[in-house]
Amino acid sequence: MITVHFDFETGGVEPRHPSIQLAAVAWDGGIELGTFEQKIAFKESDADPAALAMNHYDREAWVDAKPSGQVALRFASWLKPYCTVKKKSPRTGNDYYVARLSGYNAAAFDMPRLRELFGAQFLPAEYPVRDVLQRAVFYFDERPDVAPPSNLKLTTVCAHFGMDVTGAHDALTDARLCAELHHRLTKERP
């Protein structure tokens, strides 16, 4: 089952702060099939400087950043080979295909940003998004004999499982961490 794990890096955690990077990794059964990464053009004055520092922002690295509309078009095009979930249009009755999306804290944070990025454009993705944070919560709930990590941040949970979190807070690194964590959480059943 192909799942696209995606992540945004932002210029702060509030909805008013800009999205500055979008990345995704397509996985099937623990195998990476492809990656997407794009810096998003934004105004530095709209961002929290502390968030930019944490997210590895460097003006030179963002020199080829694209406007959000272009990023949405590029992402939709990249998703096409991974659109494997069959749907039926209620209006026409025709079949069409969308991608299965997953992310860490995606339901509350990343998916609203993705919908905003796409605006009125069609987002070829299934709703609802799979949220690996929620899978982690259930994982530890189902195993009362396993000590949970000190918090449920992506890097903390990944480190709990012995994963290397070097480079975290880069969207592509975080998308890969999410994919690997999802794989680890779902291959072990209680």
Side-chain angles (χ1 to χ4, degrees):
M1 172 184 345
I2 296 175
T3 302
V4 174
H5 303 273
F6 76 106
D7 185 68
F8 275 100
E9 293 305 325
T10 63
V13 296
E14 296 178 22
R16 67 178 172 82
H17 289 126
S19 295
I20 67 170
Q21 182 188 27
L22 171 62
V25 58
W27 268 46
D28 187 5
I31 299 169
E32 185 176 298
L33 303 175
T35 62
F36 175 89
E37 188 279 331
Q38 180 64 63
K39 309 279 193 294
I40 303 169
F42 70 99
K43 287 176 35 182
E44 282 184 42
S45 60
D46 291 341
D48 176 350
L52 294 180
M54 181 176 67
N55 293 328
H56 313 289
Y57 173 71
D58 174 1
R59 278 190 191 116
E60 288 183 26
W62 262 256
V63 72
D64 292 325
K66 303 295 182 209
S68 58
Q70 285 184 24
V71 175
L73 289 172
R74 286 176 177 214
F75 188 59
S77 178
W78 178 83
L79 280 174
K80 284 181 183 176
Y82 311 115
C83 289
T84 59
V85 179
K86 186 176 179 179
K87 299 287 185 179
K88 186 173 287 296
S89 169
R91 189 173 49 86
T92 66
N94 295 332
D95 293 338
Y96 66 100
Y97 293 84
V98 294
R100 174 176 286 113
L101 296 182
S102 172
Y104 199 85
N105 196 26
F109 190 80
D110 298 276
M111 196 62 179
R113 285 184 175 271
L114 190 60
R115 285 183 170 175
E116 180 182 344
L117 182 79
F118 272 77
Q121 297 177 61
F122 173 67
L123 171 59
E126 182 181 38
Y127 299 109
V129 66
R130 273 77 176 161
D131 197 322
V132 178
L133 169 61
Q134 292 302 311
R135 182 65 205 120
V137 170
F138 281 107
Y139 178 92
F140 292 109
D141 283 352
E142 294 162 354
R143 293 163 180 81
D145 55 320
V146 175
S150 60
N151 62 57
L152 291 172
K153 292 180 183 177
L154 175 63
T155 53
T156 307
V157 176
C158 288
H160 179 84
F161 285 97
M163 297 168 58
D164 180 6
V165 297
T166 304
H169 300 293
D170 167 79
L172 186 54
T173 300
D174 289 358
R176 282 186 166 129
L177 286 171
C178 178
E180 176 62 27
L181 179 61
H182 178 254
H183 182 68
R184 289 183 186 210
L185 291 171
T186 54
K187 71 180 183 179
E188 284 187 41
R189 296 288 181 212

